[in-house]
Amino acid sequence: MRPDTPAENVDHTTEAARLERTADLYPEDAEALLLRAAAHRELSGDRPAATALYDRLLASSQELDDPYLVRALKASNLWEYGHEAEARAIITGIRTAAPRDAAPWVIVAESLESHDELEQAHETFTEAVRLLLTGVEAPPRATHPLLFGRHRVRRMLGAAHDEWDALADTVHTLPITLDELHDPKRVWSLGSENPVELEAEIVRLRAELGAYREALSRPFPVAVLHWPAGELAELTEAYPSLAEEYPSYEEHLAAIEAALRELAASGTPNLGIVTGTVPSYEAFAASELASPADPTLLPQYATTLAARGRAVAWPPERSAACWCGSGRAYGECHGAD
């Protein structure tokens, strides 16, 4: 689904079926594709079908990149159509396993919160924050929803601000403060007959909705194609005509960073990088009845990889590993000013 496609115009059942067919064609990308398909099944109201897709992934012989994320999504979905006991058991298992990724924690904590289990939600958010952020100088972007969720639940519980709430305030970037966004009394304003109060509440709700959309969206990225050094050497040796596109490996890397920075400067959102391999590219060319030596095929190949969930978001955080694979931090490599 392209980011410019209005959500209300999406046929979720059709889109889920398309993604499931694509997963059959590309089993190596099944995890990303079936997770998106399951989300569409949930949005269509077919929650049992979504559970079947989560079970398909968990039963797969292929090792999952993030099994706890799949389990968390399954638990959240199960609870929504009456399987509370099973959902709770899965949530307990995830908390016991203590994964080092923020996403499963966010999903299970918000599931507890949405079912008015505020104390349990608070405990879950707090466990995750302590596990992932203790001793961390700057909270990674992926952990921000943990801080915001914990802040929100504590406001609902009437708890006083603590150091983690203060940290949430520092990473919050919207003009409306977290205290305003998470104020339990805000709901009272919706019943006001005062136009000024109603307008102020609409502004707050729009800001909050924007934050949720940013956190939950999984848009189709504008992706630039990256070839690792060995793959690029094999590619240009097999197809010499592509050497004009890639004069050297160093120029290839520099061109990727320059292109992404230019796109970012022009206001293009959702940028990413996909990594190519020669066998995959040749298979793609064969499926298109085209020659791998045709340079116009390269952007189509990048788009196809992105559609299969292979894109990695750009830019990385400055302290994260650089996308080029050098092993250095992005801020000390291609992200250097």
Side-chain angles (χ1 to χ4, degrees):
M1 181 171 62
R2 295 300 299 259
D4 54 351
T5 303
E8 61 268 24
N9 294 337
V10 174
D11 183 333
H12 293 294
T13 300
T14 300
E15 184 65 10
R18 184 190 69 79
L19 289 164
E20 290 169 38
R21 290 195 300 272
T22 306
D24 290 335
L25 293 172
Y26 303 101
E28 69 275 19
D29 298 325
E31 184 172 354
L33 292 166
L34 292 181
L35 285 180
R36 288 163 57 195
H40 282 289
R41 292 294 184 192
E42 290 189 33
L43 290 169
S44 73
D46 193 351
R47 292 190 176 276
T51 293
L53 290 176
Y54 296 133
D55 286 337
R56 173 178 166 182
L57 282 171
L58 292 170
S60 171
S61 59
Q62 290 192 345
E63 185 177 353
L64 298 177
D65 291 332
D66 198 341
Y68 294 112
L69 174 61
V70 179
R71 290 188 175 95
L73 290 167
K74 177 184 176 181
S76 176
N77 181 57
L78 283 169
W79 204 333
E80 291 300 322
Y81 71 107
H83 296 267
E84 179 182 343
E86 187 177 354
R88 285 183 180 276
I90 295 172
I91 289 173
T92 299
I94 292 171
R95 291 176 63 179
T96 301
R100 305 292 300 190
D101 178 40
W105 288 102
V106 173
I107 291 165
V108 298
E110 289 186 347
S111 184
L112 289 163
E113 179 188 357
S114 68
H115 290 89
D116 296 323
E117 300 280 350
L118 296 184
E119 291 287 355
Q120 285 294 311
H122 177 249
E123 288 182 16
T124 305
F125 276 125
T126 302
E127 287 173 17
V129 164
R130 287 175 177 163
L131 175 69
L132 300 178
L133 295 180
T134 298
V136 175
E137 184 175 349
R141 190 180 300 113
T143 64
H144 292 185
L146 289 172
L147 290 167
F148 299 154
R150 183 177 183 275
H151 185 289
R152 180 178 61 249
V153 169
R154 287 172 64 80
R155 290 287 280 136
M156 294 294 292
L157 292 170
H161 262 46
D162 63 8
E163 59 179 334
W164 296 117
D165 290 323
L167 183 59
D169 289 331
T170 65
V171 299
H172 175 69
T173 57
L174 293 175
I176 297 173
T177 66
L178 285 178
D179 277 340
E180 288 183 272
L181 287 175
H182 298 159
D183 184 355
K185 296 180 182 179
R186 284 176 55 206
V187 68
W188 299 348
S189 301
L190 295 175
S192 172
E193 296 181 359
N194 185 327
V196 176
E197 289 184 3
L198 285 173
E199 185 176 356
E201 186 57 25
I202 288 170
V203 171
R204 294 189 184 97
L205 288 171
R206 282 176 176 166
E208 187 169 15
L209 180 59
Y212 272 107
R213 281 177 173 168
E214 180 181 358
L216 297 177
S217 65
R218 296 292 184 271
F220 185 100
V222 177
V224 176
L225 181 59
H226 164 232
W227 297 97
E231 296 291 337
L232 185 62
E234 182 180 344
L235 180 75
T236 53
E237 181 179 353
Y239 308 103
S241 61
L242 296 182
E244 293 184 14
E245 298 288 324
Y246 307 112
S248 72
Y249 180 61
E250 290 71 21
E251 290 178 78
H252 170 51
L253 297 183
I256 292 173
E257 184 70 24
L260 289 166
R261 291 192 183 202
E262 184 176 348
L263 287 167
S266 70
T268 304
N270 310 319
L271 300 175
I273 296 176
V274 290
T275 299
T277 67
V278 174
S280 168
Y281 177 59
E282 290 174 334
F284 171 73
S287 70
E288 295 292 310
L289 302 178
S291 168
D294 182 359
T296 64
L297 202 63
L298 295 168
Q300 297 176 48
Y301 175 54
T303 299
T304 299
L305 290 178
R308 288 162 50 189
R310 288 299 190 93
V312 176
W314 179 94
E317 295 187 22
R318 292 185 62 81
S319 59
C322 187
W323 55 263
C324 72
S326 66
R328 290 183 291 168
Y330 175 65
E332 299 172 357
C333 193
H334 284 89
D337 295 330

